[in-house]
Amino acid sequence: TPFVPENPTLQNMLKYFGDEESADVKFEVGGAVESGKGRRKRAKTTTITFHAHHIFLQMSAPALADMCQPGTAPTAIDNVQPGIFKNLLYYCYGGKIGEEELQSNAKGVIEASDRFGIVNLKLEAEACYADTLELTLDNIIEVATYADSKNLA
């Protein structure tokens, strides 16, 4: 069989992930994250700046794209851990988030992908959440309530 090269578009898109020079939007992630259940205080975290390309966000994360405009001041993103946000952006550029990473941060990825309109990533995270979840009599109401609140599949 003859050698047929793969379409290079995906690899070309990934080359632009985090490229400050060509990026046209910025996000400042962190600063404040909700504390534990029932607490009123917010935990302070370090703010990290992420650079992105508006066109990629429009295709993959429409709600996130609507929050920012090219060439403007950085958009503040609260209540998302910087590591989770970095994974979301990586996914928007065509990257694949490892199963272990999804399993360890399933709820955070579900919440952030739901918030920013990244439907396919939300579904992937839901599958990991369901695979690692152990239903018991003690947690079934909490799990069902969470699933309903996030409109899980």
Side-chain angles (χ1 to χ4, degrees), residues 40-144:
R40 293 183 189 169
K41 294 183 179 180
R42 290 177 170 232
K44 297 259 184 199
T45 60
T46 304
T47 300
I48 297 177
T49 301
F50 292 95
H51 298 79
H53 299 82
H54 199 257
I55 187 83
F56 294 158
L57 299 178
Q58 286 177 315
M59 292 184 290
S60 303
L64 184 59
D66 288 346
M67 295 173 65
C68 61
Q69 291 300 316
T72 60
T75 302
I77 305 290
D78 289 332
N79 297 323
V80 177
Q81 294 175 4
I84 289 174
F85 191 79
K86 181 178 181 179
N87 283 336
L88 295 180
L89 285 181
Y90 185 69
Y91 190 87
C92 290
Y93 282 75
K96 178 87 174 125
I97 300 173
E99 191 170 331
E100 188 175 301
E101 182 73 24
L102 277 177
Q103 287 175 345
S104 63
N105 295 305
K107 276 188 165 182
V109 173
I110 289 168
E111 291 171 18
S113 57
D114 184 50
R115 177 177 169 190
F116 301 126
I118 310 171
V119 177
N120 290 354
L121 179 57
K122 181 183 175 195
L123 292 171
E124 284 184 42
E126 285 178 26
C128 281
Y129 177 67
D131 286 345
T132 60
L133 185 65
E134 185 177 327
L135 285 177
T136 65
L137 288 175
D138 294 332
N139 73 1
I140 190 133
I141 292 175
E142 181 182 331
V143 171

